Amino acid sequence: MTEQVSAAPSDLYPWQVDQWQQVSQMIRQQRLPHALIIGGAAGLGKLKFATRLAAALLCQQQIDNMACGACKSCKLLASNSHPDYKLMQPEEPSKAILVDQVRKLQHAMATTAQQGGARVVVINGASDLNLNAANALLKQLEEPGDRSYFLLLHQWPQTLLPTVRSRCQLLNFNIPESTQALDWLLQQLPTAERSVDTTIKLLQLANGAPLRALQLHASRAHELRHQMLVQLTAVFRGKESPVDVAKIWHKQPLEQMLSWWIEWLNDLIKLKMTSNAQHLANPDIIKLLQAVDQRSNIIDIYALLEKLTEQLNFINLRRNLNTQLVCEDLLHQWYLLVRSGR
């Protein structure tokens, strides 16, 4: 007979139900690992999930493996003053988690839990640990102490140090099914903006991640994408220089822009290899892709794709890049690409 598992808290996202049931059963059976990597693409609500799990572990009066919300521990956590809960993340956006942050954590974890229960550490950005910080964390993962839990959030496609990964159990979040994501996102948008076609395009821009799609909607990313396409077309036609466009691009969210560009090149490769436009991920730019297809060769397309992927990886690895020079180089390669097939 299958053991009954508690339902997910009502404030978690619908695509997180299976994962919550999994950890809930682990708690019930007292086999939750001391170190858990919560992994998945950006925009799936992993931090919210980890916070809810931390609340359940710290709660003094759990109800069906969930935080009661009323005990002293729950109230301390709600007021951001729980002494046995630590959130570690980069001190500045796009920066690494430093070894000094881990050392402070080690000092805090060396003491007895002040509320007499569990201690929970949430590391928001396990991929952001620099090498020294990751090595310092290993000792804590190897000797966590009684009722000490580490919840490490890992964002694909960033890398995670193998020595850290080997000491943790994985709990992965996948992109939700398109129907589920679409239904949820439509509910979040203002009534006047609940267009199914527009919402589908938002999800496509966000690679299917609903929270990322909501963020893109708020930042009007579709306008940035449109402007990017206009400028690529202008470079393609020789009406704008790579240098001038790079002066604009380097001030924009380059990680997102390079991700879009990679998608477009993958579509271009499909088109060039099959001459079939029916299965492209970005059918709205088919005219541009067809024009580039006629004036480029496959070798140079792959070369640009490799360069874009390399630069995107450097950004994910928090490399210190001269973004304007990066943009100039990539745009110059694009300019030459569309002349390679002549």
Side-chain angles (χ1 to χ4, degrees), residues 202 205-206 212-222 256 260:
L202 270 176
L205 290 182
R212 178 62 179 153
L214 196 60
Q215 182 184 38
L216 291 174
H217 175 266
S219 65
R220 308 195 69 80
H222 61 284
Q256 178 62 77
W260 287 335

Side-chain angles (χ1 to χ4, degrees), residues 4-10 12 16-18 20-21 24 28 63-66:
Q4 183 178 1
V5 181
S6 65
S10 59
L12 286 181
Q16 297 179 335
V17 172
D18 289 346
W20 182 263
Q21 290 179 338
S24 181
R28 183 186 296 274
I63 301 175
D64 291 333
N65 305 319
M66 294 182 284

Side-chain angles (χ1 to χ4, degrees), residues 232-293:
L232 280 175
T233 303
V235 173
F236 161 65
R237 292 177 176 172
K239 294 183 177 180
E240 290 276 3
S241 74
V243 173
D244 289 339
V245 174
K247 290 177 182 177
I248 301 171
W249 279 22
H250 86 99
K251 299 177 183 178
Q252 303 291 348
L254 196 56
E255 181 178 357
Q256 178 62 77
M257 294 171 70
L258 296 190
S259 297
W260 287 335
W261 202 353
I262 287 170
E263 288 182 15
W264 300 336
L265 286 185
N266 280 322
D267 271 351
L268 179 60
I269 290 170
K270 291 178 189 176
L271 184 63
K272 200 160 195 66
M273 298 294 286
T274 66
S275 300
N276 187 343
Q278 292 184 351
H279 302 292
L280 301 183
N282 299 273
D284 61 314
I285 64 168
I286 181 61
K287 290 184 179 179
L288 173 61
L289 294 176
Q290 288 173 334
V292 176
D293 175 29

